[in-house]
Amino acid sequence: MDTQIAYYLIEEQLGKKSTQDGHISFVRLLADPRYCGISYVEKKEVRSLLKEDPQFWTYRPLSELMVRAAADDVRFLPYVFHKMMENLSEESLWRLAVRGSLCCRCFCISDNEYADWPAIPSIPEFLNVERDTLEDEILSILDVPPGKMGRVIGRKGSSILSIKESCKAEILISGSKGAPDKVFIIGPLKQVRKAEAMLRGRML
């Protein structure tokens, strides 16, 4: 389960808007009393050390602080998972499955259009909502011409953030961990097409 997606689905259920950058840090997530309500001091300390020395995690043997921080990055997750599952509605659970599946495709580019992947979960019959209000979500992959990614992103991400505010769609750029010349858009069909048009306009 993607905790980022689950967190913002719960926020949407409560009628809250997501933060401008669309992400919540692990430290903030653990500090939220709905999930853990604890202060993750070691993580803050490690982040400071990592800024001072980008090679921090390469040193051996691991220090006591490194071992604690690495363990804490995962040992809280089962508790967070159960608390989130308690708060997700049936509709949000479906959306979580859909968005999680689509996000996985962003980091595993396929030459056969994901023909050998499991199908994206369809709208379940048991959902007790007006079916006309539900929209299937899709993934669109835009190829960015050489030298144009800076225009797409904007200064300090300003262009991407502006488009996110205008469209109810998630926009992902894989950066150094994935294809550097692609932008991934996830959301309802109309909102994805709107985001595509705005992004193409930035590339001109």
Side-chain angles (χ1 to χ4, degrees):
M1 181 185 75
D2 189 310
T3 52
Q4 291 282 339
I5 299 174
Y7 179 86
Y8 284 109
L9 284 171
I10 293 171
E11 295 297 283
E12 286 177 14
Q13 287 178 191
L14 299 173
K16 298 180 181 179
K17 291 185 177 181
S18 63
T19 57
Q20 191 178 39
D21 62 2
H23 294 281
I24 182 171
S25 71
F26 192 44
V27 172
R28 280 183 54 216
L29 180 63
L30 292 183
D32 191 319
R34 292 174 296 173
Y35 305 114
C36 275
I38 63 170
S39 177
Y40 193 175
V41 178
E42 287 87 354
K43 187 72 171 182
K44 296 177 182 178
E45 187 177 348
V46 167
R47 282 180 176 173
S48 297
L49 292 171
L50 194 57
K51 286 182 180 179
E52 296 173 7
D53 182 4
Q55 301 299 313
F56 173 78
W57 283 111
T58 66
Y59 300 134
R60 297 295 184 274
L62 297 177
S63 68
E64 184 180 342
L65 171 64
M66 294 164 78
V67 171
R68 282 203 317 272
D72 286 347
D73 275 351
V74 295
R75 73 183 180 94
F76 294 114
L77 290 178
Y79 184 79
V80 171
F81 168 81
H82 288 295
K83 297 301 282 187
M84 285 185 161
M85 292 297 286
E86 291 173 2
N87 286 282
L88 287 163
S89 67
E90 289 184 341
E91 179 182 344
S92 292
L93 285 169
W94 165 66
R95 293 193 183 281
L96 176 62
V98 170
R99 292 183 192 178
S101 297
L102 294 174
C103 281
C104 286
R105 286 160 167 74
C106 296
F107 299 97
C108 301
I109 302 299
S110 170
D111 293 330
N112 63 356
E113 296 187 351
Y114 308 100
D116 53 348
W117 282 53
I120 301 296
S122 58
I123 299 174
E125 293 293 332
F126 61 79
L127 277 187
N128 187 26
V129 295
E130 292 290 336
R131 301 188 71 78
D132 291 342
T133 65
L134 296 178
E135 294 182 78
D136 284 315
E137 298 195 353
I138 66 167
L139 165 66
S140 174
I141 303 175
L142 285 186
D143 292 312
V144 180
K148 298 292 186 179
M149 189 60 82
R151 290 188 179 183
V152 169
I153 297 173
R155 185 176 177 82
K156 295 183 178 181
S158 59
S159 179
I160 287 290
L161 292 175
S162 174
I163 295 172
K164 280 186 177 182
E165 290 175 357
S166 301
C167 308
K168 194 176 180 182
E170 179 67 21
I171 303 173
L172 304 171
I173 298 173
S174 53
S176 61
K177 294 184 179 180
D181 58 348
K182 298 183 184 297
V183 175
F184 306 91
I185 312 167
I186 296 173
L189 178 62
K190 290 181 181 179
Q191 297 301 318
V192 168
R193 297 295 180 242
K194 180 179 178 181
E196 284 176 346
M198 296 178 74
L199 286 164
R200 288 195 175 97
R202 294 290 197 276
M203 297 178 202
L204 297 178

